[in-house]
Structures are given as C-alpha cells and as structure tokens.
Amino acid sequence: QLVLTQSPSASASLGASVKLTCTLSSGHSSYAIAWHQQQPEKGPRYLMKVNSDGSHIKGDGIPDRFSGSTSGAERYLTISSLQSEDEADYYCQTWGTDIQVFGGGTKVTVL
Amino acid sequence: QVQLVESGGGVVQPGRSLRLSCAASGFTFSTYAMHWVRQAPGKGLEWVAFISYDETITYYADSVKGRFTISRDNSKNTLSLQVNSLRPEDTAVYYCARGPLYSYDSRGTFDIWGQGTMVTVSS
C-alpha cells in the first residue's frame, strides 16, 4: 500500500533553516513526490517535485531558499533563511496510475 | 494569469446532492488532466477524483466511489463534481487542481490549485 509519512510539526527560528521529511512506504522508494505549502486560511500552493535521484523541479516563482533532496525512501524539503510567511502546513504527495496519496502534513512554526 | 475558481458549495442535508464547479482561465484547459481534492476542517488533504484531459478516463477515491462523479466541459473551460448521497463526513473544503499535460492516468503532481469551496453536510 502506497503511504507517505510526515512528522506532525517542526519549528525553527527566523532566519534559520528547517528540513522536513516525507517517507515513502516499503516497496515504493523509487517514487517521485511533490511538496505543497498551505498558509493559514489559504488553498495549497505547489512548491516542487522531488525525484528519486534527488533532482527537483520547482514551481513558478518559488524562492531559491526552498530546495528538495532524497535519501533512499526519504524525500526532503529544506527551507533556508526562514521567513515569517513560511509558517504554514507542508504536504507531500505521490501517485500511482489510478490514485493520489498525501502525507498527513507537517506544521512549521517560525520562532 | 493561470487561475482556477471553485463555486457551488453550501450547507446541505445528509442524503442530498450538490454540484461543484471549477472555472479555469489563463491556460489551455482542454490539454490538462484535472483533479478534485478535499480537506475536512482541521484535517489534511484527501484526493477525491481524477479526469483525463479528454474526459475519457476517470478515477475515484474509495471513500466517494459510486456517489461522486467528475466531469468536464472543455468548450466552457469548466470542471465539475456531482456529489450525491452526501454524508456528514463529506464536510470539507473542495479544491480543484491541475494535473499534467495530456495525461490519461493519475500519475503526476498538481501545479495549480484553486482557493476552494466549502461544503457542509448537516441536518
């Protein structure tokens, strides 16, 4: 079964960095994923696609301080130079031919 | 600019129906697969349904299969979701989202999202 696992919360100080993790279920370590940001009371926003080789393709207008990487079945989103507007929920997403799956989301708090 | 705008939400009694719409603009709607995704209050995102760019292929989450129907009118740049036999657990914000170009299956991410329309199922 295709499942994505995320930690419920993360925090870091203004100007610091935070690294979020999304773990693919057993047998699915070759899958690409995508990251989406959802600021309070807003719709989600596509950030990037992260491939199994660690390459990533960002959406239009996404700042350079957002980056993606991979290690085995784990996919990462790193936010550098944290800004107050980065305080949001972050969801990872993956897919099969007839299904889409979301992780439970990570709430990022900027201290 | 590229935009998706949902409408049609509201308060409805259990067992009743509703039709949600999503108006697309700023891109060639007929060439992209489309999805519906929902979010219950205080909860995470849940994928609901997929439709291929040419409306020949549709897929549904198990939780809505047999009750919801996704469709599109490429001449009107509009995506729809007919929601029947509504249950309290269907209460959520419903988002439309753009899938990949010329896609016949659900693979691929969503690169454009709408702002959502709220559906509340309550007696």
PDB file of all heavy atoms in Angstrom, chain B residues 43-55:
ATOM      1  N   LYS B  43      -8.172  19.146   9.196  1.00  0.00           N
ATOM      2  CA  LYS B  43      -7.528  17.901   8.754  1.00  0.00           C
ATOM      3  C   LYS B  43      -6.635  18.143   7.540  1.00  0.00           C
ATOM      4  O   LYS B  43      -6.528  19.267   7.039  1.00  0.00           O
ATOM      5  CB  LYS B  43      -8.600  16.856   8.404  1.00  0.00           C
ATOM      6  CG  LYS B  43      -9.545  16.537   9.546  1.00  0.00           C
ATOM      7  CD  LYS B  43      -8.821  15.896  10.727  1.00  0.00           C
ATOM      8  CE  LYS B  43      -9.797  15.485  11.809  1.00  0.00           C
ATOM      9  NZ  LYS B  43      -9.090  14.921  12.998  1.00  0.00           N
ATOM     10  N   GLY B  44      -6.021  17.059   7.060  1.00  0.00           N
ATOM     11  CA  GLY B  44      -5.131  17.151   5.915  1.00  0.00           C
ATOM     12  C   GLY B  44      -5.862  17.031   4.586  1.00  0.00           C
ATOM     13  O   GLY B  44      -7.089  16.985   4.526  1.00  0.00           O
ATOM     14  N   LEU B  45      -5.066  16.973   3.517  1.00  0.00           N
ATOM     15  CA  LEU B  45      -5.609  16.900   2.171  1.00  0.00           C
ATOM     16  C   LEU B  45      -5.968  15.460   1.807  1.00  0.00           C
ATOM     17  O   LEU B  45      -5.245  14.522   2.159  1.00  0.00           O
ATOM     18  CB  LEU B  45      -4.586  17.429   1.174  1.00  0.00           C
ATOM     19  CG  LEU B  45      -4.148  18.883   1.367  1.00  0.00           C
ATOM     20  CD1 LEU B  45      -2.986  19.219   0.454  1.00  0.00           C
ATOM     21  CD2 LEU B  45      -5.305  19.832   1.146  1.00  0.00           C
ATOM     22  N   GLU B  46      -7.088  15.293   1.118  1.00  0.00           N
ATOM     23  CA  GLU B  46      -7.534  13.979   0.659  1.00  0.00           C
ATOM     24  C   GLU B  46      -7.907  14.063  -0.815  1.00  0.00           C
ATOM     25  O   GLU B  46      -8.792  14.830  -1.192  1.00  0.00           O
ATOM     26  CB  GLU B  46      -8.740  13.494   1.472  1.00  0.00           C
ATOM     27  CG  GLU B  46      -9.265  12.143   1.018  1.00  0.00           C
ATOM     28  CD  GLU B  46     -10.612  11.766   1.631  1.00  0.00           C
ATOM     29  OE1 GLU B  46     -11.288  12.640   2.207  1.00  0.00           O
ATOM     30  OE2 GLU B  46     -10.994  10.590   1.528  1.00  0.00           O
ATOM     31  N   TRP B  47      -7.254  13.276  -1.650  1.00  0.00           N
ATOM     32  CA  TRP B  47      -7.592  13.232  -3.066  1.00  0.00           C
ATOM     33  C   TRP B  47      -8.980  12.611  -3.234  1.00  0.00           C
ATOM     34  O   TRP B  47      -9.336  11.644  -2.549  1.00  0.00           O
ATOM     35  CB  TRP B  47      -6.553  12.409  -3.813  1.00  0.00           C
ATOM     36  CG  TRP B  47      -6.911  12.136  -5.238  1.00  0.00           C
ATOM     37  CD1 TRP B  47      -6.897  13.024  -6.274  1.00  0.00           C
ATOM     38  CD2 TRP B  47      -7.348  10.892  -5.787  1.00  0.00           C
ATOM     39  NE1 TRP B  47      -7.292  12.405  -7.431  1.00  0.00           N
ATOM     40  CE2 TRP B  47      -7.570  11.096  -7.173  1.00  0.00           C
ATOM     41  CE3 TRP B  47      -7.557   9.618  -5.255  1.00  0.00           C
ATOM     42  CZ2 TRP B  47      -8.007  10.082  -8.027  1.00  0.00           C
ATOM     43  CZ3 TRP B  47      -7.987   8.608  -6.091  1.00  0.00           C
ATOM     44  CH2 TRP B  47      -8.212   8.843  -7.471  1.00  0.00           C
ATOM     45  N   VAL B  48      -9.758  13.168  -4.171  1.00  0.00           N
ATOM     46  CA  VAL B  48     -11.131  12.727  -4.392  1.00  0.00           C
ATOM     47  C   VAL B  48     -11.316  12.069  -5.760  1.00  0.00           C
ATOM     48  O   VAL B  48     -11.851  10.960  -5.847  1.00  0.00           O
ATOM     49  CB  VAL B  48     -12.108  13.921  -4.262  1.00  0.00           C
ATOM     50  CG1 VAL B  48     -13.517  13.529  -4.668  1.00  0.00           C
ATOM     51  CG2 VAL B  48     -12.087  14.460  -2.829  1.00  0.00           C
ATOM     52  N   ALA B  49     -10.890  12.770  -6.834  1.00  0.00           N
ATOM     53  CA  ALA B  49     -11.196  12.248  -8.170  1.00  0.00           C
ATOM     54  C   ALA B  49     -10.263  12.837  -9.214  1.00  0.00           C
ATOM     55  O   ALA B  49      -9.700  13.916  -9.035  1.00  0.00           O
ATOM     56  CB  ALA B  49     -12.642  12.549  -8.546  1.00  0.00           C
ATOM     57  N   PHE B  50     -10.123  12.101 -10.324  1.00  0.00           N
ATOM     58  CA  PHE B  50      -9.274  12.474 -11.469  1.00  0.00           C
ATOM     59  C   PHE B  50     -10.069  12.334 -12.759  1.00  0.00           C
ATOM     60  O   PHE B  50     -10.902  11.433 -12.891  1.00  0.00           O
ATOM     61  CB  PHE B  50      -8.075  11.533 -11.525  1.00  0.00           C
ATOM     62  CG  PHE B  50      -7.407  11.447 -12.890  1.00  0.00           C
ATOM     63  CD1 PHE B  50      -6.401  12.319 -13.236  1.00  0.00           C
ATOM     64  CD2 PHE B  50      -7.794  10.480 -13.817  1.00  0.00           C
ATOM     65  CE1 PHE B  50      -5.793  12.248 -14.474  1.00  0.00           C
ATOM     66  CE2 PHE B  50      -7.195  10.391 -15.059  1.00  0.00           C
ATOM     67  CZ  PHE B  50      -6.194  11.271 -15.393  1.00  0.00           C
ATOM     68  N   ILE B  51      -9.767  13.229 -13.712  1.00  0.00           N
ATOM     69  CA  ILE B  51     -10.325  13.091 -15.047  1.00  0.00           C
ATOM     70  C   ILE B  51      -9.228  13.420 -16.063  1.00  0.00           C
ATOM     71  O   ILE B  51      -8.477  14.381 -15.892  1.00  0.00           O
ATOM     72  CB  ILE B  51     -11.576  13.969 -15.260  1.00  0.00           C
ATOM     73  CG1 ILE B  51     -12.258  13.640 -16.590  1.00  0.00           C
ATOM     74  CG2 ILE B  51     -11.263  15.455 -15.136  1.00  0.00           C
ATOM     75  CD1 ILE B  51     -13.675  14.206 -16.705  1.00  0.00           C
ATOM     76  N   SER B  52      -9.118  12.599 -17.086  1.00  0.00           N
ATOM     77  CA  SER B  52      -8.113  12.828 -18.117  1.00  0.00           C
ATOM     78  C   SER B  52      -8.440  14.078 -18.923  1.00  0.00           C
ATOM     79  O   SER B  52      -9.571  14.589 -18.870  1.00  0.00           O
ATOM     80  CB  SER B  52      -8.019  11.613 -19.045  1.00  0.00           C
ATOM     81  OG  SER B  52      -9.261  11.383 -19.687  1.00  0.00           O
ATOM     82  N   TYR B  53      -7.452  14.548 -19.676  1.00  0.00           N
ATOM     83  CA  TYR B  53      -7.618  15.810 -20.393  1.00  0.00           C
ATOM     84  C   TYR B  53      -8.770  15.752 -21.396  1.00  0.00           C
ATOM     85  O   TYR B  53      -9.433  16.757 -21.638  1.00  0.00           O
ATOM     86  CB  TYR B  53      -6.320  16.186 -21.103  1.00  0.00           C
ATOM     87  CG  TYR B  53      -6.014  15.370 -22.342  1.00  0.00           C
ATOM     88  CD1 TYR B  53      -6.314  15.855 -23.608  1.00  0.00           C
ATOM     89  CD2 TYR B  53      -5.440  14.107 -22.243  1.00  0.00           C
ATOM     90  CE1 TYR B  53      -6.054  15.111 -24.738  1.00  0.00           C
ATOM     91  CE2 TYR B  53      -5.178  13.353 -23.366  1.00  0.00           C
ATOM     92  CZ  TYR B  53      -5.483  13.860 -24.618  1.00  0.00           C
ATOM     93  OH  TYR B  53      -5.215  13.114 -25.745  1.00  0.00           O
ATOM     94  N   ASP B  54      -9.024  14.544 -21.944  1.00  0.00           N
ATOM     95  CA  ASP B  54     -10.075  14.403 -22.946  1.00  0.00           C
ATOM     96  C   ASP B  54     -11.337  13.772 -22.379  1.00  0.00           C
ATOM     97  O   ASP B  54     -12.207  13.334 -23.143  1.00  0.00           O
ATOM     98  CB  ASP B  54      -9.570  13.578 -24.131  1.00  0.00           C
ATOM     99  CG  ASP B  54      -9.224  12.150 -23.727  1.00  0.00           C
ATOM    100  OD1 ASP B  54      -9.247  11.849 -22.517  1.00  0.00           O
ATOM    101  OD2 ASP B  54      -8.925  11.346 -24.616  1.00  0.00           O
ATOM    102  N   GLU B  55     -11.436  13.694 -21.036  1.00  0.00           N
ATOM    103  CA  GLU B  55     -12.578  13.191 -20.261  1.00  0.00           C
ATOM    104  C   GLU B  55     -12.904  11.715 -20.506  1.00  0.00           C
ATOM    105  O   GLU B  55     -13.963  11.250 -20.064  1.00  0.00           O
ATOM    106  CB  GLU B  55     -13.818  14.064 -20.456  1.00  0.00           C
ATOM    107  CG  GLU B  55     -14.488  14.028 -21.814  1.00  0.00           C
ATOM    108  CD  GLU B  55     -15.640  15.034 -21.892  1.00  0.00           C
ATOM    109  OE1 GLU B  55     -16.507  15.042 -21.015  1.00  0.00           O
ATOM    110  OE2 GLU B  55     -15.646  15.837 -22.849  1.00  0.00           O
TER     111      GLU B  55
END
